[in-house]
PDB file of all heavy atoms in Angstrom:
ATOM      1  N   LYS Q 606      15.019  14.988  37.961  1.00 98.00           N
ATOM      2  CA  LYS Q 606      16.324  14.356  37.690  1.00 98.00           C
ATOM      3  C   LYS Q 606      17.295  14.406  38.831  1.00 98.00           C
ATOM      4  O   LYS Q 606      18.229  13.579  38.954  1.00 98.00           O
ATOM      5  CB  LYS Q 606      16.964  15.023  36.453  1.00 98.00           C
ATOM      6  CG  LYS Q 606      16.288  14.757  35.154  1.00 98.00           C
ATOM      7  CD  LYS Q 606      17.120  15.148  33.969  1.00 98.00           C
ATOM      8  CE  LYS Q 606      17.402  16.637  33.957  1.00 98.00           C
ATOM      9  NZ  LYS Q 606      18.203  17.040  32.804  1.00 98.00           N
ATOM     10  N   THR Q 607      17.121  15.354  39.747  1.00 98.00           N
ATOM     11  CA  THR Q 607      18.016  15.571  40.854  1.00 98.00           C
ATOM     12  C   THR Q 607      17.735  14.662  42.032  1.00 98.00           C
ATOM     13  O   THR Q 607      18.629  14.148  42.676  1.00 98.00           O
ATOM     14  CB  THR Q 607      18.017  17.043  41.320  1.00 98.00           C
ATOM     15  OG1 THR Q 607      18.309  17.877  40.219  1.00 98.00           O
ATOM     16  CG2 THR Q 607      19.049  17.269  42.403  1.00 98.00           C
ATOM     17  N   THR Q 608      16.433  14.409  42.278  1.00 98.00           N
ATOM     18  CA  THR Q 608      16.033  13.658  43.478  1.00 98.00           C
ATOM     19  C   THR Q 608      15.404  12.348  43.229  1.00 98.00           C
ATOM     20  O   THR Q 608      15.321  11.476  44.095  1.00 98.00           O
ATOM     21  CB  THR Q 608      15.040  14.513  44.310  1.00 98.00           C
ATOM     22  OG1 THR Q 608      13.822  14.681  43.546  1.00 98.00           O
ATOM     23  CG2 THR Q 608      15.663  15.887  44.655  1.00 98.00           C
ATOM     24  N   GLY Q 609      14.849  12.125  41.978  1.00 98.00           N
ATOM     25  CA  GLY Q 609      14.103  10.942  41.683  1.00 98.00           C
ATOM     26  C   GLY Q 609      12.641  11.003  42.092  1.00 98.00           C
ATOM     27  O   GLY Q 609      11.890  10.042  41.931  1.00 98.00           O
ATOM     28  N   GLU Q 610      12.193  12.175  42.573  1.00 98.00           N
ATOM     29  CA  GLU Q 610      10.786  12.345  42.951  1.00 98.00           C
ATOM     30  C   GLU Q 610       9.886  12.171  41.727  1.00 98.00           C
ATOM     31  O   GLU Q 610      10.163  12.723  40.671  1.00 98.00           O
ATOM     32  CB  GLU Q 610      10.557  13.702  43.573  1.00 98.00           C
ATOM     33  CG  GLU Q 610       9.132  13.980  43.941  1.00 98.00           C
ATOM     34  CD  GLU Q 610       8.873  15.440  44.341  1.00 98.00           C
ATOM     35  OE1 GLU Q 610       9.837  16.213  44.365  1.00 98.00           O
ATOM     36  OE2 GLU Q 610       7.684  15.763  44.629  1.00 98.00           O
ATOM     37  N   GLU Q 611       8.871  11.369  41.873  1.00 98.00           N
ATOM     38  CA  GLU Q 611       7.871  11.226  40.804  1.00 98.00           C
ATOM     39  C   GLU Q 611       7.029  12.467  40.781  1.00 98.00           C
ATOM     40  O   GLU Q 611       6.328  12.808  41.730  1.00 98.00           O
ATOM     41  CB  GLU Q 611       7.015   9.981  41.051  1.00 98.00           C
ATOM     42  CG  GLU Q 611       6.005   9.749  39.940  1.00 98.00           C
ATOM     43  CD  GLU Q 611       5.075   8.566  40.269  1.00 98.00           C
ATOM     44  OE1 GLU Q 611       5.579   7.473  40.579  1.00 98.00           O
ATOM     45  OE2 GLU Q 611       3.834   8.797  40.213  1.00 98.00           O
ATOM     46  N   LEU Q 612       7.021  13.153  39.624  1.00 98.00           N
ATOM     47  CA  LEU Q 612       6.279  14.384  39.445  1.00 98.00           C
ATOM     48  C   LEU Q 612       4.940  14.197  38.799  1.00 98.00           C
ATOM     49  O   LEU Q 612       4.016  14.951  39.095  1.00 98.00           O
ATOM     50  CB  LEU Q 612       7.103  15.392  38.650  1.00 98.00           C
ATOM     51  CG  LEU Q 612       8.487  15.735  39.169  1.00 98.00           C
ATOM     52  CD1 LEU Q 612       9.253  16.621  38.198  1.00 98.00           C
ATOM     53  CD2 LEU Q 612       8.353  16.440  40.537  1.00 98.00           C
ATOM     54  N   HIS Q 613       4.820  13.196  37.963  1.00 98.00           N
ATOM     55  CA  HIS Q 613       3.537  12.974  37.285  1.00 98.00           C
ATOM     56  C   HIS Q 613       3.528  11.563  36.725  1.00 98.00           C
ATOM     57  O   HIS Q 613       4.565  10.968  36.367  1.00 98.00           O
ATOM     58  CB  HIS Q 613       3.408  13.979  36.119  1.00 98.00           C
ATOM     59  CG  HIS Q 613       2.087  13.881  35.427  1.00 98.00           C
ATOM     60  ND1 HIS Q 613       0.837  13.986  36.067  1.00 98.00           N
ATOM     61  CD2 HIS Q 613       1.773  13.717  34.078  1.00 98.00           C
ATOM     62  CE1 HIS Q 613      -0.142  13.900  35.215  1.00 98.00           C
ATOM     63  NE2 HIS Q 613       0.396  13.720  34.001  1.00 98.00           N
ATOM     64  N   ARG Q 614       2.306  10.972  36.707  1.00 97.00           N
ATOM     65  CA  ARG Q 614       2.102   9.657  36.147  1.00 97.00           C
ATOM     66  C   ARG Q 614       0.886   9.726  35.228  1.00 97.00           C
ATOM     67  O   ARG Q 614      -0.213   9.993  35.704  1.00 97.00           O
ATOM     68  CB  ARG Q 614       1.909   8.629  37.266  1.00 97.00           C
ATOM     69  CG  ARG Q 614       1.724   7.218  36.807  1.00 97.00           C
ATOM     70  CD  ARG Q 614       1.722   6.247  37.975  1.00 97.00           C
ATOM     71  NE  ARG Q 614       0.594   6.410  38.830  1.00 97.00           N
ATOM     72  CZ  ARG Q 614      -0.364   5.480  39.022  1.00 97.00           C
ATOM     73  NH1 ARG Q 614      -0.279   4.330  38.428  1.00 97.00           N
ATOM     74  NH2 ARG Q 614      -1.346   5.747  39.840  1.00 97.00           N
ATOM     75  N   LEU Q 615       1.081   9.423  33.974  1.00 98.00           N
ATOM     76  CA  LEU Q 615       0.035   9.606  32.985  1.00 98.00           C
ATOM     77  C   LEU Q 615      -0.327   8.179  32.388  1.00 98.00           C
ATOM     78  O   LEU Q 615       0.546   7.506  31.867  1.00 98.00           O
ATOM     79  CB  LEU Q 615       0.493  10.524  31.870  1.00 98.00           C
ATOM     80  CG  LEU Q 615      -0.452  10.998  30.790  1.00 98.00           C
ATOM     81  CD1 LEU Q 615       0.063  12.292  30.144  1.00 98.00           C
ATOM     82  CD2 LEU Q 615      -0.584   9.945  29.694  1.00 98.00           C
TER      83      LEU Q 615
END
Side-chain angles (χ1 to χ4, degrees):
K606 291 193 297 181
T607 304
T608 66
E610 177 189 359
E611 182 185 307
L612 301 175
H613 184 55
R614 182 172 68 115
L615 187 158

